[in-house]
């Protein structure tokens, strides 16, 4: 069965520093997709970045990058030059059978707090 | 364009009552998903529609929960004989019918409180 593990319940980081949020996953599928979503205190889920299991390059979107280590089954999110507005819950998620639309399984999340 | 909308935004009901939660997806999105998020947890999958049919309902916790999407657009999640443990934020998401980088777009959620 697929599973997402986020071992950091909360993190505090100084503004402008880089931060890495950990995520490991478990799946028996060869084709899967990995996602990171941000959930501010307002509650909406905001898509940040996607990595396909067959992608050879790590995904990047602006200040976000995904450190994909397939053999270790890890998909850590790196946020460069953190900003106060980055304070939020961050969820790692996975979709099996990535060739078509299907459910996403979420981890338990990491609460990131940025200190000024 | 308009995003995913959900109504009501808040619903308070008494234990044992019946509730309906509505989701209006992004126009043109064939896939629609329901998730439930308890306090301090990640969203938990409930059910997924392709068009009018439920493609995967493996996440529905029991037969008190039921969802429909009769015309392939708006969906309604129905909960019978509500229990206090049903209290959570119910999230709806929609996407195009495809995998890969096609992410799910989430609505603002309905906060259900069962007293």
């Amino acid at each position: 069965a697929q599973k997402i593990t986020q071992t950091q319940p909360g993190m505090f980081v100084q503004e402008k520093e880089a931060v890495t949020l950990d995520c490991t996953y478990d799946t028996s599928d060869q084709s899967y997709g990995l996602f990171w979503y941000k959930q501010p205190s307002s509650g909406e889920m905001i898509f940040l970045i996607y990595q396909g299991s067959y992608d050879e390059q790590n995904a990047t979107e602006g200040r976000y990058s995904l450190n994909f280590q397939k053999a270790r089954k890890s998909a850590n999110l790196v946020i460069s030059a953190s900003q106060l507005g980055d304070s939020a819950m961050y969820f790692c998620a996975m979709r099996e059978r990535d060739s078509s639309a299907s459910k996403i399984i979420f981890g338990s999340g990491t609460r990131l707090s940025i200190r000024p | 364009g308009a995003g995913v909308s959900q109504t009501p935004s808040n619903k308070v009901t008494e234990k044992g009552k019946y509730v309906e939660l509505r989701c209006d997806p992004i126009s043109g999105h064939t896939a629609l998903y329901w998730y439930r998020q308890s306090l301090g947890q990640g969203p938990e999958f409930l059910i997924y529609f392709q068009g009018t049919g439920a493609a995967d309902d493996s996440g529905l916790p029991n037969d008190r929960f039921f969802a429909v999407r009769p015309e392939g657009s708006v969906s309604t999640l129905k909960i019978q004989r509500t229990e206090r443990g049903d209290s959570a934020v119910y999230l709806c998401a929609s996407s195009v019918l495809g995998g890969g980088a096609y992410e799910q777009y989430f609505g603002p959620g309905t906060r259900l409180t069962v007293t």
Side-chain angles (χ1 to χ4, degrees), chain A residues 13-64:
Chain A
V13 173
Q14 204 68 30
E15 190 181 7
K16 298 181 185 177
E17 290 184 350
V19 56
T20 298
L21 305 182
D22 295 341
C23 172
T24 58
Y25 60 90
D26 190 21
T27 179
S28 55
D29 268 14
Q30 296 302 308
S31 171
Y32 52 90
L34 297 158
F35 300 80
W36 279 91
Y37 279 84
K38 172 184 179 181
Q39 189 175 44
S41 56
S42 54
E44 75 267 35
M45 295 287 285
I46 302 168
F47 166 75
L48 296 178
I49 197 166
Y50 160 84
Q51 177 87 41
S53 59
Y54 293 119
D55 294 341
E56 294 185 351
Q57 303 241 353
N58 285 343
T60 60
E61 289 286 348
R63 293 186 299 112
Y64 304 107

Side-chain angles (χ1 to χ4, degrees), chain B residues 18-93:
Chain B
Y18 167 83
V19 296
E20 290 190 352
L21 312 179
R22 175 188 166 109
C23 172
D24 204 335
I26 292 172
S27 178
H29 279 189
T30 311
L32 184 146
Y33 313 79
W34 283 99
Y35 296 85
R36 176 170 71 174
Q37 187 174 23
S38 300
L39 193 62
Q41 300 295 317
E44 172 193 19
F45 170 76
L46 296 176
I47 186 170
Y48 151 55
F49 287 90
Q50 279 187 14
T52 60
D56 184 351
D57 65 358
S58 61
L60 294 178
N62 51 60
D63 61 6
R64 296 187 297 106
F65 288 74
F66 188 70
V68 295
R69 196 185 184 199
E71 297 178 359
S73 178
V74 170
S75 175
T76 305
L77 179 66
K78 308 179 181 194
I79 310 174
Q80 298 177 324
R81 304 183 305 280
T82 52
E83 300 177 356
R84 292 194 180 89
D86 298 336
S87 296
V89 175
Y90 289 80
L91 295 167
C92 176

Side-chain angles (χ1 to χ4, degrees), chain A residues 82-101:
Chain A
S82 57
Q83 302 171 355
L84 295 178
D86 294 334
S87 294
M89 282 291 288
Y90 288 80
F91 292 99
C92 180
M94 178 173 63
R95 176 176 61 211
E96 291 185 327
R97 298 184 305 279
D98 200 38
S99 60
S100 61

